[in-house]
Amino acid sequence: QKEVEQNSGPLSVPEGAIASLNCTYSDRGSQSFFWYRQYSGKSPELIMSIYSNGDKEDGRFTAQLNKASQYVSLLIRDSQPSDSATYLCAFSSFGNEKLTFGTGTRLTIIP
Amino acid sequence: KAGVTQTPRYLIKTRGQQVTLSCSPISGHRSVSWYQQTPGQGLQFLFEYFSETQRNKGNFPGRFSGRQFSNSRSEMNVSTLELGDSALYLCASSLPPPSSGRQASTDTQYFGPGTRLTVL
């Protein structure tokens, strides 16, 4: 079983709609969870971090964490063409700086 | 505040050569991690340095090494380059962990632009 599972996509969403990205992880010791956005040819850019069960909202982005189900998701509301990118989920264990990444979901927003 | 910087941005080497990549973390950040990104394997952790000490190491051969200086700048070295070492090498920095009462927010890592290494 892979440590982090992400649907590689591609995921196509109409402009203005909600994009939903999902990630499951196997390490129950995971404490910190992150969503990064990566444009083609660029480095990952932090979108959201979440540490506690529940929802965390930041502008058009909402991260959801369910540690019992070992599941983290990212919702993007009012999707824009500029949101087209690969989205990477990652986690780390408390006290360990190593980030374990999923393979990424390629998201395309259709105008 | 300036972000993470990496030099050089692009490198072309031939098999058997060695290469040194440099990373300067965000001011005040003392932890530096290195990652390799390839289309086939995705983002993989190489190693992490804090206070000039390697604290964590990924599953890479000994040809991959690194170090950190007293100003928190870090270098990684790859010796005897192989074709499969062609990749984007990313450096990320984060705040140091406090000795107690650690806040999870200090785990957040910020990436530099990367060094694109091509091995011919």
Side-chain angles (χ1 to χ4, degrees):
Chain A
Q1 181 186 7
K2 291 184 179 179
E3 291 182 278
V4 185
E5 297 272 5
Q6 268 188 276
N7 187 334
S8 61
L11 175 66
S12 296
V13 173
E15 182 176 355
I18 295 175
S20 177
L21 305 165
N22 305 311
C23 182
T24 58
Y25 61 95
S26 60
D27 183 3
R28 287 195 174 273
S30 303
Q31 298 282 349
S32 304
F33 303 87
F34 307 91
W35 282 99
Y36 286 86
R37 176 177 64 197
Q38 187 173 26
Y39 293 113
S40 181
K42 302 295 185 182
S43 63
E45 171 193 12
L46 181 70
I47 296 295
M48 293 280 286
S49 58
I50 186 166
Y51 310 100
S52 304
N53 281 325
D55 295 359
K56 179 182 178 183
E57 185 175 318
D58 183 1
R60 296 187 297 111
F61 299 94
T62 298
Q64 299 173 319
L65 174 61
N66 184 324
K67 290 188 177 182
S69 300
Q70 296 176 256
Y71 174 94
V72 60
S73 66
L74 180 69
L75 300 177
I76 307 174
R77 292 182 300 280
D78 188 23
S79 297
Q80 303 296 310
S82 60
D83 295 327
S84 297
T86 295
Y87 288 79
L88 300 155
C89 70
F91 70 87
S92 65
S93 301
F94 209 61
N96 188 337
E97 302 299 308
K98 170 188 172 183
L99 280 175
T100 301
F101 283 87
T103 53
T105 298
R106 183 180 298 180
L107 173 66
T108 300
I109 306 302
I110 304 168
Chain B
K1 186 182 278 191
V4 179
T5 58
Q6 291 187 247
T7 56
R9 294 293 311 278
Y10 302 92
L11 265 178
I12 299 177
K13 293 285 187 179
T14 57
R15 282 181 298 174
Q17 287 187 308
Q18 75 165 18
V19 66
T20 299
L21 312 181
S22 180
C23 170
S24 292
I26 293 170
S27 178
H29 286 195
R30 290 166 56 195
S31 174
V32 174
S33 299
W34 288 89
Y35 296 83
Q36 180 197 65
Q37 187 173 31
T38 60
Q41 299 297 318
L43 263 160
Q44 292 189 295
F45 174 78
L46 281 156
F47 28 65
E48 183 246 344
Y49 286 87
F50 174 72
S51 290
E52 303 178 62
T53 301
Q54 186 183 91
R55 294 198 303 178
N56 291 295
K57 190 177 189 303
N59 188 26
F60 279 82
R63 300 185 298 106
F64 292 82
S65 63
R67 60 177 175 169
Q68 187 180 34
F69 302 94
S70 59
N71 62 358
S72 296
R73 189 177 69 86
S74 177
E75 289 181 347
M76 69 163 282
N77 184 277
V78 188
S79 62
T80 320
L81 284 166
E82 300 178 359
L83 295 178
D85 296 333
S86 294
L88 179 65
Y89 289 87
L90 293 158
C91 163
S93 76
S94 59
L95 284 168
S99 56
S100 62
R102 178 170 182 163
Q103 298 297 314
S105 60
T106 60
D107 293 348
T108 302
Q109 295 185 25
Y110 299 90
F111 284 85
T115 295
R116 174 76 62 184
L117 172 64
T118 302
V119 182
L120 302 176

